[in-house]
Protein backbone atom coordinates (compact mmCIF):
# COMPACT_ATOMS: atom_id res chain seq x y z
CA UNK A 1 0.00 0.00 0.00
CA UNK A 2 1.27 3.48 -0.81
CA UNK A 3 1.65 6.12 1.86
CA UNK A 4 -1.26 8.59 1.75
CA UNK A 5 -0.33 12.23 1.04
CA UNK A 6 -2.19 14.97 2.92
CA UNK A 7 -1.89 18.69 2.21
CA UNK A 8 -3.22 21.26 4.68
CA UNK A 9 -3.86 24.71 3.20
CA UNK A 10 -4.76 28.04 4.79
CA UNK A 11 -4.14 31.54 3.52
CA UNK A 12 -1.05 32.46 5.55
CA UNK A 13 0.23 28.98 6.54
CA UNK A 14 1.10 30.39 9.95
CA UNK A 15 -1.54 28.83 12.21
CA UNK A 16 -4.24 26.27 11.44
CA UNK A 17 -2.44 24.43 8.64
CA UNK A 18 0.83 24.37 10.61
CA UNK A 19 -0.93 22.88 13.65
CA UNK A 20 -2.79 20.32 11.55
CA UNK A 21 0.34 19.21 9.71
CA UNK A 22 2.37 18.88 12.93
CA UNK A 23 -0.41 16.98 14.71
CA UNK A 24 -0.97 14.57 11.82
CA UNK A 25 2.77 13.98 11.43
CA UNK A 26 3.03 13.24 15.17
CA UNK A 27 0.07 10.84 15.28
CA UNK A 28 0.82 9.13 11.95
CA UNK A 29 4.45 8.44 12.85
CA UNK A 30 5.51 8.10 9.21
CA UNK A 31 2.41 6.30 7.92
CA UNK A 32 1.14 9.47 6.19
CA UNK A 33 3.17 12.03 4.23
CA UNK A 34 2.13 15.50 5.41
CA UNK A 35 2.61 18.97 3.92
CA UNK A 36 1.19 22.40 4.61
CA UNK A 37 1.13 25.57 2.54
CA UNK A 38 -0.58 28.93 2.13
CA UNK A 39 -1.96 30.87 -0.81
CA UNK A 40 -0.39 34.05 0.66
CA UNK A 41 2.17 32.81 3.20
CA UNK A 42 3.18 34.98 6.13
CA UNK A 43 6.79 35.62 7.15
CA UNK A 44 6.66 33.41 10.24
CA UNK A 45 4.50 31.01 12.22
CA UNK A 46 2.14 32.63 14.73
CA UNK A 47 3.97 32.77 18.12
CA UNK A 48 0.83 31.73 20.04
CA UNK A 49 0.58 28.66 17.78
CA UNK A 50 4.23 27.78 18.47
CA UNK A 51 3.56 28.19 22.21
CA UNK A 52 0.46 25.97 22.43
CA UNK A 53 2.04 23.26 20.27
CA UNK A 54 5.12 23.24 22.54
CA UNK A 55 2.78 22.66 25.49
CA UNK A 56 1.91 19.25 24.02
CA UNK A 57 5.49 18.39 23.10
CA UNK A 58 5.48 19.41 19.43
CA UNK A 59 8.15 21.93 18.41
CA UNK A 60 7.21 23.92 15.31
CA UNK A 61 9.43 26.88 16.16
CA UNK A 62 11.67 26.21 13.14
CA UNK A 63 8.80 25.85 10.65
CA UNK A 64 8.35 28.53 8.00
CA UNK A 65 5.16 29.32 6.08
CA UNK A 66 5.35 27.88 2.57
CA UNK A 67 3.78 29.03 -0.70
CA UNK A 68 1.05 26.79 -2.09
CA UNK A 69 2.37 25.26 -5.31
CA UNK A 70 0.38 23.44 -7.94
CA UNK A 71 2.58 20.35 -7.66
CA UNK A 72 1.81 20.11 -3.91
CA UNK A 73 -1.87 19.80 -4.72
CA UNK A 74 -1.19 17.40 -7.58
CA UNK A 75 0.86 15.12 -5.28
CA UNK A 76 -1.75 15.03 -2.51
CA UNK A 77 -4.41 12.36 -2.05
CA UNK A 78 -6.31 14.55 0.40
CA UNK A 79 -6.37 18.35 0.40
CA UNK A 80 -7.73 20.00 3.56
CA UNK A 81 -8.49 23.69 3.13
CA UNK A 82 -8.98 26.05 6.03
CA UNK A 83 -10.45 29.19 4.55
CA UNK A 84 -8.40 29.70 1.37
CA UNK A 85 -11.46 29.47 -0.89
CA UNK A 86 -10.80 29.77 -4.61
CA UNK A 87 -7.03 30.13 -4.17
CA UNK A 88 -6.68 26.33 -4.06
CA UNK A 89 -6.26 24.61 -7.42
CA UNK A 90 -8.78 21.83 -8.02
CA UNK A 91 -7.70 18.51 -9.53
CA UNK A 92 -10.18 15.81 -10.53
CA UNK A 93 -9.90 12.66 -8.43
CA UNK A 94 -8.53 14.38 -5.33
CA UNK A 95 -10.40 14.33 -2.05
CA UNK A 96 -11.09 17.84 -0.81
CA UNK A 97 -12.40 18.87 2.58
CA UNK A 98 -12.88 22.35 3.96
CA UNK A 99 -12.47 22.53 7.72
CA UNK A 100 -14.23 25.58 9.09
CA UNK A 101 -11.99 26.65 11.97
CA UNK A 102 -11.42 29.91 13.81
CA UNK A 103 -8.35 31.76 12.57
CA UNK A 104 -5.80 31.98 15.43
CA UNK A 105 -4.38 35.30 14.16
CA UNK A 106 -4.52 37.91 16.91
CA UNK A 107 -5.80 35.39 19.48
CA UNK A 108 -4.17 34.59 22.80
CA UNK A 109 -2.99 31.15 23.93
CA UNK A 110 -6.31 30.21 25.57
CA UNK A 111 -8.23 30.65 22.30
CA UNK A 112 -5.46 29.05 20.24
CA UNK A 113 -5.50 26.00 22.57
CA UNK A 114 -9.20 25.49 21.76
CA UNK A 115 -8.44 25.68 18.02
CA UNK A 116 -5.52 23.25 18.44
CA UNK A 117 -7.71 20.77 20.29
CA UNK A 118 -10.44 20.93 17.63
CA UNK A 119 -7.83 20.39 14.90
CA UNK A 120 -6.40 17.46 16.89
CA UNK A 121 -9.81 15.74 16.99
CA UNK A 122 -10.27 16.20 13.23
CA UNK A 123 -6.72 15.02 12.48
CA UNK A 124 -7.20 11.86 14.56
CA UNK A 125 -10.45 11.09 12.70
CA UNK A 126 -8.74 11.69 9.34
CA UNK A 127 -5.85 9.41 10.30
CA UNK A 128 -8.27 6.64 11.32
CA UNK A 129 -9.87 6.89 7.85
CA UNK A 130 -6.58 6.97 5.93
CA UNK A 131 -4.82 4.25 7.91
CA UNK A 132 -7.67 2.25 9.49
CA UNK A 133 -5.45 -0.13 11.44
CA UNK A 134 -3.68 2.76 13.16
CA UNK A 135 -3.98 3.36 16.85
CA UNK A 136 -4.43 7.10 17.37
CA UNK A 137 -4.30 6.96 21.14
Amino acid sequence: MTTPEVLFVCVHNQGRSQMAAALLAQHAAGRVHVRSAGSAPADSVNPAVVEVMAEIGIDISQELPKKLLTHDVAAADVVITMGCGDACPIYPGKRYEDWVLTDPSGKGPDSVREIRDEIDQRVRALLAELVPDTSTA
Side-chain angles (χ1 to χ4, degrees), residues 6 23 29 46 60 65 68 74 96 101 128:
V6 178
L23 287 162
N46 179 328
I60 62 170
L68 176 63
Y96 290 86
L101 298 159

Side-chain angles (χ1 to χ4, degrees), residues 12-16 18-19 42-53 60-61 63-65 102-109 112 115:
H12 300 298
N13 189 223
Q14 68 174 5
R16 295 165 288 188
Q18 290 281 351
M19 287 190 283
D43 293 329
S44 62
V45 176
N46 179 328
V49 167
V50 172
E51 178 182 333
V52 302
M53 293 301 286
I60 62 170
S61 64
E63 293 296 325
L64 293 172
T102 303
D103 186 344
S105 293
K107 306 263 189 305
V112 177
I115 298 164

Side-chain angles (χ1 to χ4, degrees), residues 25-97:
Q26 173 96 357
H27 297 315
R31 292 169 297 211
V32 176
H33 187 253
V34 185
R35 299 177 209 221
S36 71
S39 51
D43 293 329
S44 62
V45 176
N46 179 328
V49 167
V50 172
E51 178 182 333
V52 302
M53 293 301 286
E55 291 171 358
I56 60 168
I58 300 176
D59 179 7
I60 62 170
S61 64
Q62 300 304 306
E63 293 296 325
L64 293 172
K66 293 167 273 312
K67 176 79 175 146
L68 176 63
L69 301 174
T70 304
H71 77 266
D72 292 332
V73 179
D77 297 305
V78 181
V79 179
I80 308 290
T81 57
M82 302 171 173
C84 73
D86 295 336
C88 297
I90 303 294
Y91 283 87
K94 303 288 179 194
R95 173 179 165 186
Y96 290 86
E97 290 183 26

Side-chain angles (χ1 to χ4, degrees), residues 79-133:
V79 179
I80 308 290
T81 57
M82 302 171 173
C84 73
D86 295 336
C88 297
I90 303 294
Y91 283 87
K94 303 288 179 194
R95 173 179 165 186
Y96 290 86
E97 290 183 26
D98 185 47
W99 291 359
V100 178
L101 298 159
T102 303
D103 186 344
S105 293
K107 306 263 189 305
D110 289 341
S111 296
V112 177
R113 259 184 226 105
E114 291 176 18
I115 298 164
R116 176 202 65 204
D117 294 346
E118 182 178 350
I119 291 171
D120 192 39
Q121 290 176 349
R122 290 176 186 230
V123 159
R124 288 172 185 264
L126 177 65
L127 179 59
E129 285 178 42
L130 295 175
V131 190
D133 59 343

